[in-house]
Amino acid sequence: MQYSKPMLKEDALEGKVILVTGGGSGLGKSMSKYFLELGAKVVIASRKMEKLEAAAKELSESTGGEVLPVQCDVRKYDEVEATITAAKDKFGKIDVLLNNAAGNFISPTERLSHKAFDTIIGIVLQGTYNFTLAVGKDWIEQKQAGNILNIVTTYAWTGSGFVAPSAAAKAGVLALTRSLAVEWARHGIRSNAIAPGPFPTKGAWDRLFPENLRKNFDIKKKVPVGRVGEHQELANLAAYLVSDFSAYVNGEVITIDGGEWLKGAGEFNFLDFIPDQMWDQIEKMVRGAKS
Ligand code: HXC
Ligand code: NAP
């Protein structure tokens, strides 16, 4: 299928330095791979150095691009600043910040400790504002243009039970995206977000759709187009948003979910389960309501 293929022309990100938080696994790694294929240099930052080093090796071998792995807990501002220094020491500058790192798991909210809440809000919201503030201050001081891309999710605006800390944090990230799109445009800094629907990754699936849930519940049924996302199609969208081709896109959140959230939102969308032949009976009953 076309959507599984790379979309942009080969040199679309030539010379750009892109810092990807959580770039050692899942979607962050897939986006990093495509950025490298398009000529960018990439810094991947997260907590587990062994994983980052393995990912950096794999990515640079498969693309021929340059990857710098940096150990960093996005909740710790001093580590965030040290990551920025390491990136600039290696590549001389940062052009794009991709806030992708996240923590999440399903749980009834009343079962959570306050520390569980702190943990998710810390990784998602604090991690995003830590990097945004530190990189943004540097861009403004250096009078350098910049580009921020944040990964949110569709429940940033609908909310969602059983992932309340993540929903609250992602809503904050979305508000930050829109706020800075206006405020920092005068410094040449754009801010956008992507809201992905379900894209299989080990990190998300183990914590959100564990085996026993997966057996009884087909996630594809929630998606009008009848499938989950492929990493390359998300990478295509991200590459466009971090490239100069999207220079006039600012403050936008682009949903890539096959229509999932709208299906969940429409009051009567559940009626798509009704087989065609049953509509004859239903129509008869509904028309009969007049008498
Ligand atoms: C209840 C839990 C819990 C669970 C952890 N806690 N798991 N409480 N149910 N299943 C509690 C702990 O008991 C502890 O509180 C607190 O949360 C912090 O847990 P730690 O394990 O100490 O935290 P940490 O080592 O920092 O690990 C963070 C983590 C972990 C979020 C808990 O899962 C992680 O490292 N995740 C990173 C990757 C990830 O989550 N990827 C998925 C992103 S998917 P106490 O009080 O006991 O100290 C995503 C998709 C969104 O965001 C949309 C999908 C469609
Ligand atoms: P993932 O592989 O688990 O990615 C999460 C990444 O965040 C990991 O690389 C992890 O690396 C890093 N991370 C976690 N805590 C961190 C911390 N304190 N400091 C630094 N890095 C940290 O899951 P994913 O599915 O690819 O998720 C990527 C993004 O997509 C997230 O923002 C997620 O909310 C979003 N998203 C995913 C889906 C989906 O269906 N997959 C849907 C909507 C939105 P370490 O463990 O090494 O720290």
Side-chain angles (χ1 to χ4, degrees):
M1 285 295 277
Q2 281 299 98
Y3 60 75
S4 317
K5 293 189 181 141
M7 186 179 82
L8 296 190
K9 56 182 185 176
E10 271 171 23
D11 61 350
L13 299 177
E14 200 65 54
K16 287 209 185 294
V17 179
I18 304 179
L19 195 160
V20 183
T21 67
S25 68
L27 301 179
K29 187 174 164 196
S30 298
M31 291 186 279
S32 297
K33 179 167 188 277
Y34 190 40
F35 299 161
L36 289 158
E37 286 168 2
L38 294 172
K41 292 169 179 153
V42 174
V43 183
I44 54 176
S46 74
R47 295 165 301 177
K48 296 175 191 140
M49 194 55 181
E50 222 173 279
K51 180 172 97 176
L52 288 172
E53 276 170 345
K57 186 166 180 281
E58 183 193 322
L59 289 173
S60 60
E61 279 173 7
S62 65
T63 65
E66 274 188 273
V67 189
L68 175 69
V70 185
Q71 184 163 29
C72 172
D73 186 328
V74 295
R75 291 168 286 192
K76 298 181 178 153
Y77 198 78
D78 55 336
E79 293 187 18
V80 168
E81 287 188 309
T83 303
I84 294 165
T85 303
K88 288 177 68 181
D89 285 349
K90 171 83 176 165
F91 296 128
K93 59 170 185 165
I94 296 166
D95 297 293
V96 177
L97 168 64
L98 172 45
N99 285 305
N100 163 82
N104 198 5
F105 52 79
I106 46 169
S107 174
T109 303
E110 68 278 11
R111 291 168 66 106
L112 297 176
S113 67
H114 67 91
K115 281 194 188 153
F117 242 101
D118 290 347
T119 300
I120 304 303
I121 303 277
I123 302 170
V124 176
L125 180 55
Q126 187 184 25
T128 300
Y129 72 65
N130 277 348
F131 259 105
T132 301
L133 190 63
V135 174
K137 277 174 186 276
D138 189 58
W139 282 334
I140 292 166
E141 202 182 296
Q142 304 294 325
K143 299 196 183 333
Q144 191 202 321
N147 187 355
I148 300 167
L149 179 60
N150 296 323
I151 305 299
V152 294
T153 172
T154 56
Y155 58 60
W157 55 91
T158 64
S160 173
F162 306 97
V163 283
S166 171
K170 294 286 191 185
V173 172
L174 183 55
L176 185 68
T177 309
R178 289 173 168 153
S179 304
L180 294 181
V182 176
E183 189 185 332
W184 281 359
R186 69 185 193 278
H187 299 295
I189 300 169
R190 291 194 284 139
S191 288
N192 290 293
I194 294 177
F199 281 78
T201 65
K202 183 162 169 40
W205 257 230
D206 285 355
R207 294 173 176 89
L208 301 169
F209 310 112
E211 192 71 38
N212 52 355
L213 261 189
R214 244 177 276 169
K215 271 191 218 143
N216 299 309
F217 178 75
D218 183 1
I219 184 94
K220 296 197 286 299
K221 292 208 171 114
K222 285 184 71 210
V223 185
V225 303
R227 64 175 178 87
V228 293
E230 285 198 20
H231 286 207
Q232 183 63 46
E233 56 193 328
L234 180 77
N236 284 338
L237 175 58
Y240 167 68
L241 288 172
V242 301
S243 78
D244 296 336
F245 293 112
S246 61
Y248 204 49
V249 181
N250 185 29
E252 187 53 84
V253 53
I254 301 187
T255 299
I256 176 163
D257 75 340
E260 185 203 26
W261 85 268
L262 281 168
K263 177 168 174 167
E267 182 88 32
F268 291 100
N269 282 338
F270 70 94
L271 294 182
D272 65 1
F273 282 109
I274 293 176
D276 284 347
Q277 59 276 24
M278 208 198 269
W279 277 109
D280 291 340
Q281 287 170 344
I282 292 173
E283 185 177 337
K284 214 165 153 193
M285 288 167 77
V286 174
R287 285 182 184 277
K290 269 205 272 186
S291 53

